Short mmCIF file of all heavy atoms in Angstrom, two decimals:
data_model
loop_
_atom_site.label_atom_id
_atom_site.label_comp_id
_atom_site.label_asym_id
_atom_site.label_seq_id
_atom_site.Cartn_x
_atom_site.Cartn_y
_atom_site.Cartn_z
N GLU A 1 -9.03 265.15 -127.84
CA GLU A 1 -9.62 264.71 -129.11
C GLU A 1 -9.82 265.90 -130.03
O GLU A 1 -10.11 267.01 -129.58
CB GLU A 1 -10.96 264.02 -128.85
CG GLU A 1 -11.60 263.43 -130.11
CD GLU A 1 -12.90 262.70 -129.82
OE1 GLU A 1 -13.34 262.72 -128.65
OE2 GLU A 1 -13.47 262.10 -130.76
N THR A 2 -9.64 265.68 -131.31
CA THR A 2 -9.83 266.72 -132.30
C THR A 2 -10.61 266.17 -133.49
O THR A 2 -10.58 264.97 -133.76
CB THR A 2 -8.47 267.28 -132.78
OG1 THR A 2 -8.70 268.31 -133.74
CG2 THR A 2 -7.62 266.19 -133.40
N LYS A 3 -11.29 267.05 -134.19
CA LYS A 3 -12.05 266.62 -135.37
C LYS A 3 -11.20 266.60 -136.63
O LYS A 3 -11.56 265.93 -137.60
CB LYS A 3 -13.26 267.55 -135.56
CG LYS A 3 -14.26 267.49 -134.42
CD LYS A 3 -15.43 268.44 -134.65
CE LYS A 3 -16.43 268.37 -133.51
NZ LYS A 3 -17.56 269.32 -133.71
N ASP A 4 -10.09 267.33 -136.61
CA ASP A 4 -9.23 267.41 -137.79
C ASP A 4 -7.77 267.36 -137.34
O ASP A 4 -7.25 268.33 -136.79
CB ASP A 4 -9.52 268.71 -138.55
CG ASP A 4 -8.86 268.73 -139.93
OD1 ASP A 4 -7.84 268.04 -140.10
OD2 ASP A 4 -9.36 269.44 -140.82
N LEU A 5 -7.12 266.21 -137.57
CA LEU A 5 -5.73 266.05 -137.15
C LEU A 5 -4.80 267.04 -137.85
O LEU A 5 -3.93 267.65 -137.22
CB LEU A 5 -5.25 264.62 -137.44
CG LEU A 5 -5.74 263.51 -136.51
CD1 LEU A 5 -5.23 262.17 -137.00
CD2 LEU A 5 -5.27 263.75 -135.09
N ASP A 6 -4.98 267.19 -139.15
CA ASP A 6 -4.08 268.06 -139.92
C ASP A 6 -4.21 269.52 -139.48
O ASP A 6 -3.20 270.22 -139.34
CB ASP A 6 -4.37 267.92 -141.41
CG ASP A 6 -4.04 266.53 -141.95
OD1 ASP A 6 -3.15 265.88 -141.36
OD2 ASP A 6 -4.66 266.11 -142.94
N ALA A 7 -5.43 269.98 -139.28
CA ALA A 7 -5.63 271.36 -138.85
C ALA A 7 -5.01 271.62 -137.48
O ALA A 7 -4.40 272.67 -137.25
CB ALA A 7 -7.13 271.69 -138.82
N THR A 8 -5.17 270.66 -136.57
CA THR A 8 -4.57 270.79 -135.23
C THR A 8 -3.05 270.81 -135.32
O THR A 8 -2.39 271.59 -134.62
CB THR A 8 -5.04 269.65 -134.31
OG1 THR A 8 -6.46 269.65 -134.25
CG2 THR A 8 -4.46 269.80 -132.92
N HIS A 9 -2.50 269.96 -136.18
CA HIS A 9 -1.05 269.92 -136.35
C HIS A 9 -0.52 271.25 -136.90
O HIS A 9 0.53 271.75 -136.47
CB HIS A 9 -0.66 268.77 -137.27
CG HIS A 9 0.82 268.58 -137.39
ND1 HIS A 9 1.54 269.09 -138.45
CD2 HIS A 9 1.71 267.95 -136.58
CE1 HIS A 9 2.81 268.78 -138.30
NE2 HIS A 9 2.94 268.09 -137.18
N VAL A 10 -1.23 271.83 -137.85
CA VAL A 10 -0.84 273.13 -138.41
C VAL A 10 -0.89 274.21 -137.34
O VAL A 10 0.00 275.07 -137.25
CB VAL A 10 -1.75 273.50 -139.60
CG1 VAL A 10 -1.52 274.95 -140.02
CG2 VAL A 10 -1.50 272.56 -140.78
N LYS A 11 -1.92 274.17 -136.51
CA LYS A 11 -2.06 275.14 -135.42
C LYS A 11 -0.88 275.04 -134.45
O LYS A 11 -0.34 276.06 -134.01
CB LYS A 11 -3.38 274.92 -134.69
CG LYS A 11 -3.61 275.87 -133.53
CD LYS A 11 -4.93 275.56 -132.82
CE LYS A 11 -5.14 276.48 -131.65
NZ LYS A 11 -6.43 276.20 -130.94
N ILE A 12 -0.51 273.82 -134.12
CA ILE A 12 0.63 273.61 -133.22
C ILE A 12 1.91 274.18 -133.83
O ILE A 12 2.69 274.88 -133.16
CB ILE A 12 0.79 272.11 -132.90
CG1 ILE A 12 -0.38 271.62 -132.04
CG2 ILE A 12 2.11 271.85 -132.17
CD1 ILE A 12 -0.42 270.12 -131.86
N GLN A 13 2.13 273.91 -135.10
CA GLN A 13 3.34 274.39 -135.77
C GLN A 13 3.38 275.91 -135.82
O GLN A 13 4.44 276.53 -135.60
CB GLN A 13 3.41 273.81 -137.19
CG GLN A 13 4.72 274.05 -137.90
CD GLN A 13 5.88 273.33 -137.22
OE1 GLN A 13 5.89 272.12 -137.08
NE2 GLN A 13 6.86 274.12 -136.78
N GLU A 14 2.23 276.53 -136.06
CA GLU A 14 2.18 277.99 -136.09
C GLU A 14 2.49 278.59 -134.71
O GLU A 14 3.22 279.59 -134.60
CB GLU A 14 0.80 278.45 -136.55
CG GLU A 14 0.53 278.18 -138.03
CD GLU A 14 -0.88 278.56 -138.44
OE1 GLU A 14 -1.71 278.84 -137.53
OE2 GLU A 14 -1.18 278.57 -139.65
N LEU A 15 1.94 277.97 -133.65
CA LEU A 15 2.23 278.45 -132.30
C LEU A 15 3.71 278.30 -131.96
O LEU A 15 4.31 279.20 -131.35
CB LEU A 15 1.38 277.68 -131.29
CG LEU A 15 -0.02 278.21 -130.98
CD1 LEU A 15 -0.77 277.23 -130.10
CD2 LEU A 15 0.05 279.58 -130.32
N VAL A 16 4.28 277.18 -132.34
CA VAL A 16 5.70 276.93 -132.06
C VAL A 16 6.56 277.98 -132.74
O VAL A 16 7.49 278.55 -132.14
CB VAL A 16 6.10 275.51 -132.51
CG1 VAL A 16 7.61 275.35 -132.46
CG2 VAL A 16 5.44 274.47 -131.62
N ASN A 17 6.28 278.27 -134.01
CA ASN A 17 7.06 279.28 -134.73
C ASN A 17 6.85 280.67 -134.14
O ASN A 17 7.81 281.46 -134.03
CB ASN A 17 6.65 279.28 -136.21
CG ASN A 17 7.02 277.98 -136.91
OD1 ASN A 17 7.93 277.27 -136.50
ND2 ASN A 17 6.30 277.65 -137.97
N GLN A 18 5.63 280.96 -133.75
CA GLN A 18 5.32 282.27 -133.18
C GLN A 18 6.04 282.50 -131.85
O GLN A 18 6.49 283.61 -131.56
CB GLN A 18 3.80 282.39 -132.99
CG GLN A 18 3.35 283.71 -132.37
CD GLN A 18 1.85 283.73 -132.14
OE1 GLN A 18 1.11 282.90 -132.66
NE2 GLN A 18 1.39 284.69 -131.34
N LEU A 19 6.16 281.43 -131.06
CA LEU A 19 6.77 281.54 -129.73
C LEU A 19 8.24 281.13 -129.73
O LEU A 19 8.82 280.87 -128.67
CB LEU A 19 5.98 280.68 -128.73
CG LEU A 19 4.52 281.09 -128.55
CD1 LEU A 19 3.80 280.11 -127.64
CD2 LEU A 19 4.42 282.51 -128.00
N LYS A 20 8.84 281.05 -130.92
CA LYS A 20 10.28 280.83 -131.08
C LYS A 20 10.75 279.51 -130.48
O LYS A 20 11.78 279.43 -129.81
CB LYS A 20 11.06 281.99 -130.46
CG LYS A 20 10.74 283.33 -131.09
CD LYS A 20 11.49 284.48 -130.42
CE LYS A 20 11.13 285.81 -131.08
NZ LYS A 20 11.83 286.95 -130.45
N GLY A 21 9.96 278.46 -130.73
CA GLY A 21 10.35 277.12 -130.29
C GLY A 21 10.65 276.23 -131.48
O GLY A 21 10.84 276.70 -132.61
N TYR A 22 10.69 274.93 -131.23
CA TYR A 22 10.91 273.98 -132.32
C TYR A 22 10.28 272.64 -131.95
O TYR A 22 10.03 272.34 -130.77
CB TYR A 22 12.40 273.80 -132.60
CG TYR A 22 13.20 273.16 -131.50
CD1 TYR A 22 13.41 271.78 -131.44
CD2 TYR A 22 13.77 273.94 -130.48
CE1 TYR A 22 14.14 271.20 -130.43
CE2 TYR A 22 14.51 273.36 -129.46
CZ TYR A 22 14.69 271.99 -129.44
OH TYR A 22 15.42 271.41 -128.43
N VAL A 23 9.99 271.85 -132.99
CA VAL A 23 9.41 270.52 -132.79
C VAL A 23 10.55 269.52 -132.60
O VAL A 23 11.38 269.34 -133.49
CB VAL A 23 8.53 270.12 -133.99
CG1 VAL A 23 8.02 268.69 -133.81
CG2 VAL A 23 7.36 271.09 -134.14
N GLN A 24 10.57 268.88 -131.45
CA GLN A 24 11.63 267.91 -131.16
C GLN A 24 11.28 266.52 -131.68
O GLN A 24 12.16 265.78 -132.12
CB GLN A 24 11.87 267.85 -129.65
CG GLN A 24 12.97 266.88 -129.24
CD GLN A 24 13.21 266.88 -127.74
OE1 GLN A 24 12.65 267.69 -127.02
NE2 GLN A 24 14.05 265.99 -127.27
N ASP A 25 10.01 266.16 -131.62
CA ASP A 25 9.59 264.82 -132.02
C ASP A 25 8.18 264.89 -132.59
O ASP A 25 7.34 265.63 -132.09
CB ASP A 25 9.63 263.88 -130.80
CG ASP A 25 9.59 262.42 -131.22
OD1 ASP A 25 9.79 262.15 -132.40
OD2 ASP A 25 9.35 261.55 -130.35
N ASP A 26 7.93 264.11 -133.64
CA ASP A 26 6.62 264.13 -134.30
C ASP A 26 6.31 262.73 -134.81
O ASP A 26 6.99 262.22 -135.70
CB ASP A 26 6.62 265.14 -135.45
CG ASP A 26 5.22 265.40 -136.00
OD1 ASP A 26 4.31 264.62 -135.70
OD2 ASP A 26 5.05 266.39 -136.73
N LYS A 27 5.29 262.08 -134.24
CA LYS A 27 4.92 260.72 -134.61
C LYS A 27 3.42 260.64 -134.89
O LYS A 27 2.63 261.35 -134.26
CB LYS A 27 5.28 259.72 -133.50
CG LYS A 27 6.76 259.65 -133.18
CD LYS A 27 7.02 258.69 -132.03
CE LYS A 27 8.49 258.64 -131.67
NZ LYS A 27 8.75 257.74 -130.50
N SER A 28 3.03 259.77 -135.81
CA SER A 28 1.61 259.56 -136.11
C SER A 28 1.35 258.07 -136.27
O SER A 28 2.27 257.30 -136.57
CB SER A 28 1.21 260.31 -137.38
OG SER A 28 1.97 259.87 -138.49
N GLY A 29 0.09 257.67 -136.07
CA GLY A 29 -0.23 256.25 -136.18
C GLY A 29 -1.73 256.02 -136.16
O GLY A 29 -2.54 256.96 -136.11
N LYS A 30 -2.09 254.73 -136.20
CA LYS A 30 -3.49 254.33 -136.25
C LYS A 30 -3.67 253.06 -135.43
O LYS A 30 -2.83 252.16 -135.47
CB LYS A 30 -3.91 254.09 -137.70
CG LYS A 30 -5.34 253.61 -137.88
CD LYS A 30 -5.65 253.36 -139.34
CE LYS A 30 -7.07 252.87 -139.54
NZ LYS A 30 -7.39 252.61 -140.97
N ASN A 31 -4.74 253.00 -134.68
CA ASN A 31 -5.11 251.77 -134.01
C ASN A 31 -6.57 251.44 -134.33
O ASN A 31 -7.16 252.04 -135.24
CB ASN A 31 -4.86 251.86 -132.49
CG ASN A 31 -5.57 253.04 -131.88
OD1 ASN A 31 -6.64 253.46 -132.35
ND2 ASN A 31 -5.01 253.61 -130.81
N TYR A 32 -7.16 250.53 -133.59
CA TYR A 32 -8.50 250.05 -133.92
C TYR A 32 -9.54 251.15 -133.86
O TYR A 32 -10.49 251.19 -134.63
CB TYR A 32 -8.89 248.91 -132.98
CG TYR A 32 -10.29 248.36 -133.21
CD1 TYR A 32 -10.58 247.61 -134.34
CD2 TYR A 32 -11.31 248.61 -132.30
CE1 TYR A 32 -11.86 247.12 -134.56
CE2 TYR A 32 -12.59 248.12 -132.50
CZ TYR A 32 -12.86 247.37 -133.63
OH TYR A 32 -14.12 246.91 -133.85
N GLN A 33 -9.40 252.07 -132.95
CA GLN A 33 -10.43 253.08 -132.73
C GLN A 33 -10.02 254.50 -133.09
O GLN A 33 -10.86 255.38 -133.15
CB GLN A 33 -10.84 253.08 -131.25
CG GLN A 33 -11.49 251.77 -130.82
CD GLN A 33 -11.89 251.81 -129.35
OE1 GLN A 33 -11.43 252.65 -128.61
NE2 GLN A 33 -12.76 250.90 -128.96
N GLN A 34 -8.72 254.74 -133.31
CA GLN A 34 -8.27 256.12 -133.44
C GLN A 34 -7.23 256.30 -134.53
O GLN A 34 -6.48 255.38 -134.86
CB GLN A 34 -7.64 256.59 -132.11
CG GLN A 34 -8.57 256.62 -130.92
CD GLN A 34 -7.81 256.96 -129.66
OE1 GLN A 34 -6.57 256.97 -129.63
NE2 GLN A 34 -8.53 257.25 -128.61
N LEU A 35 -7.19 257.51 -135.04
CA LEU A 35 -6.04 258.06 -135.75
C LEU A 35 -5.41 259.05 -134.78
O LEU A 35 -6.12 259.90 -134.22
CB LEU A 35 -6.46 258.77 -137.04
CG LEU A 35 -7.08 257.90 -138.14
CD1 LEU A 35 -7.59 258.78 -139.27
CD2 LEU A 35 -6.06 256.90 -138.68
N TYR A 36 -4.11 258.96 -134.55
CA TYR A 36 -3.51 259.80 -133.51
C TYR A 36 -2.18 260.40 -133.99
O TYR A 36 -1.58 259.95 -134.97
CB TYR A 36 -3.27 258.99 -132.23
CG TYR A 36 -2.28 257.88 -132.38
CD1 TYR A 36 -0.91 258.09 -132.20
CD2 TYR A 36 -2.69 256.59 -132.70
CE1 TYR A 36 0.01 257.06 -132.34
CE2 TYR A 36 -1.78 255.56 -132.85
CZ TYR A 36 -0.43 255.80 -132.67
OH TYR A 36 0.46 254.78 -132.82
N ARG A 37 -1.74 261.38 -133.23
CA ARG A 37 -0.46 262.02 -133.50
C ARG A 37 0.15 262.48 -132.18
O ARG A 37 -0.57 263.00 -131.31
CB ARG A 37 -0.65 263.22 -134.44
CG ARG A 37 0.64 263.71 -135.07
CD ARG A 37 0.34 264.37 -136.40
NE ARG A 37 1.57 264.61 -137.16
CZ ARG A 37 1.58 264.98 -138.44
NH1 ARG A 37 0.43 265.13 -139.09
NH2 ARG A 37 2.72 265.19 -139.07
#
């Protein structure tokens, strides 16, 4: 769980770039109780 989805997503992207990787898949959505990614 995170308090800020966008901030967590930015952190992930920065780590991926720093460690010379890439994002293979990226999905987001909403259900009754959550916003998720």
Side-chain angles (χ1 to χ4, degrees):
E1 184 177 4
T2 180
K3 296 179 180 179
D4 191 334
L5 285 177
D6 294 333
T8 303
H9 185 262
V10 169
K11 179 181 179 180
I12 292 171
Q13 190 64 60
E14 289 176 350
L15 272 173
V16 169
N17 294 335
Q18 179 183 346
L19 299 175
K20 300 178 180 180
Y22 66 92
V23 176
Q24 181 178 353
D25 196 13
D26 191 345
K27 299 177 181 178
S28 59
K30 178 181 179 181
N31 55 31
Y32 178 71
Q33 296 180 343
Q34 297 174 348
L35 294 174
Y36 65 87
R37 196 153 192 169

